[in-house]
């Protein structure tokens, strides 16, 4: 992919976010664009960085660490993929936000390592709103209790919720998923639990981020729309 393409793609995504904000009466600065750079070479991340991206999303611990070493230190790294407990120790002091916490056991492991390194880790609770069998994330009915349990851990701050919506042809089909996640977050906010913020709603990917923004996303995670299609090694 040529230099100009990432720049042009970023412009399209940023304009689309701004438009969706305007249409729905929101201020554009409320939405953080996370450039999902998984599988992409560091050179492409550097280009995106040069055009102003400071939030990058990765879904594998080793890849995140490799890129962390090679990229500037003012980047906010987002762990957006399923996280195994035995790998938590490598990233707790390097990530800005972990989007994919879906069990108390994982939260406890993050807390344990955060205490060791004397850091406080910001996390989101991943919700499987669409109830897809193939997806990680906790069921809607269990979110409140999980949040209450995590709230008791000393070195974790719950900042909000995340969901991965199904792959659909028409993004509108995901609108009820996004509005449901927002509704759950509003319900939790009303409980005023100590240590719990519900300021972040991480939802929307290349195919549906405009709809997610219209439904209140504060973070969108866009990969293909910025870097082009991913090629996975066989
Ligand atoms: C890969 C990935 C994305 C980005 O997907 P695109 O469709 O390429 O924008 C967003 N969120 C998560 C959790 C992902 O794994």
């Amino acid at each position: 992919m040529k230099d100009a393409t990432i720049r042009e793609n970023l412009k399209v995504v940023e304009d689309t976010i701004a438009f969706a904000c305007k249409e729905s009466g929101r201020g554009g600065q409320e939405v953080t664009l996370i450039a999902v750079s998984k599988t992409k070479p560091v050179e492409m991340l550097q280009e995106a960085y040069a055009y102003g991206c400071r939030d990058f999303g990765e879904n594998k611990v080793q890849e995140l660490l490799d890129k962390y070493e090679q990229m500037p230190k003012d980047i906010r790294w987002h762990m957006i993929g399923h996280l195994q407990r035995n790998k938590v120790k490598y990233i707790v002091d390097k990530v800005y936000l972990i989007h994919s916490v879906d069990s108390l056991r994982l939260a406890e492991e993050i807390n344990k390592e955060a205490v060791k390194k004397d850091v406080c880790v910001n996390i989101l609770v991943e919700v499987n709103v669409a109830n897809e069998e193939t997806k990680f994330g906790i069921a809607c009915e269990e979110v409140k209790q999980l949040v209450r349990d995590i709230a008791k851990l000393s070195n974790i701050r719950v900042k909000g919720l995340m969901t991965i919506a199904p792959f659909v042809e028409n993004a509108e089909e995901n609108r009820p998923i996004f509005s449901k996640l927002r509704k759950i977050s509003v319900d939790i906010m009303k409980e005023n639990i100590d240590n719990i913020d519900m300021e972040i709603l991480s939802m929307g990917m290349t195919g549906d981020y405009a709809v997610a923004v219209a439904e209140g996303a504060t973070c969108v995670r866009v990969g293909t729309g910025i870097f082009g299609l991913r090629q996975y090694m066989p």
Side-chain angles (χ1 to χ4, degrees):
M1 185 179 279
K2 285 245 183 55
D3 208 56
T5 315
I6 289 180
R7 188 177 61 209
E8 283 159 15
N9 288 348
L10 274 170
K11 174 100 175 73
V12 169
V13 175
E14 282 161 3
D15 287 352
T16 305
I17 291 171
F19 184 75
C21 281
K22 198 156 162 262
E23 288 278 281
S24 53
R26 306 178 50 188
Q29 70 287 358
E30 294 168 24
V31 181
T32 302
L33 170 60
I34 299 176
V36 176
S37 45
K38 64 192 189 198
T39 79
K40 297 297 177 183
V42 165
E43 294 71 37
M44 290 179 89
L45 280 72
Q46 284 164 344
E47 282 180 37
Y49 182 91
Y51 301 131
C53 284
R54 291 298 178 270
D55 292 89
F56 288 86
E58 290 286 338
N59 68 341
K60 296 219 159 64
V61 167
Q62 190 56 52
E63 192 174 344
L64 190 152
L65 291 172
D66 289 345
K67 289 172 174 171
Y68 176 92
E69 288 306 324
Q70 297 175 67
M71 293 290 292
K73 288 293 166 274
D74 62 342
I75 286 174
R76 293 180 288 263
W77 291 99
H78 297 258
M79 178 59 195
I80 61 174
H82 180 63
L83 182 56
Q84 287 170 300
R85 280 178 296 134
N86 61 357
K87 297 199 175 151
V88 166
K89 55 178 175 286
Y90 303 116
I91 60 160
V92 277
D93 55 345
K94 299 193 171 61
V95 287
Y96 176 74
L97 184 64
I98 299 174
H99 291 232
S100 45
V101 176
D102 62 358
S103 73
L104 185 57
R105 285 175 80 200
L106 176 57
E108 283 170 342
E109 181 66 24
I110 294 169
N111 191 60
K112 191 181 101 194
E113 293 300 327
V115 168
K116 275 192 207 163
K117 295 207 164 74
D118 196 23
V119 292
C120 184
V121 183
N122 293 327
I123 65 135
L124 304 178
V125 168
E126 179 175 352
V127 187
N128 186 355
V129 180
N131 222 344
E132 289 182 285
E133 264 178 45
T134 52
K135 294 256 165 79
F136 294 106
I138 188 169
C140 294
E141 310 78 56
E142 296 167 31
V143 177
K144 229 182 231 181
Q145 190 55 49
L146 179 59
V147 166
R148 285 197 203 102
D149 292 339
I150 297 176
K152 295 174 190 143
L153 303 173
S154 59
N155 289 41
I156 290 192
R157 292 286 172 280
V158 178
K159 290 289 183 185
L161 306 177
M162 179 273 228
T163 197
I164 304 174
F167 181 78
V168 289
E169 287 294 326
N170 175 1
E172 282 299 327
E173 290 173 40
N174 280 337
R175 190 178 287 273
I177 307 274
F178 300 139
S179 75
K180 182 152 186 201
L181 192 71
R182 186 186 48 187
K183 189 170 169 301
I184 296 171
S185 112
V186 169
D187 282 351
I188 294 173
M189 212 157 12
K190 282 187 193 142
E191 297 219 342
N192 271 322
I193 309 166
D194 275 351
N195 277 342
I196 304 296
D197 282 329
M198 280 288 138
E199 64 196 36
I200 300 179
L201 270 182
S202 169
M203 55 190 197
M205 313 185 358
T206 297
D208 55 19
Y209 66 91
V211 175
V213 167
E215 291 300 325
T218 69
C219 257
V220 293
R221 310 177 306 266
V222 179
T224 314
I226 296 172
F227 298 108
L229 290 172
R230 285 178 291 274
Q231 283 180 336
Y232 290 96
M233 293 298 160

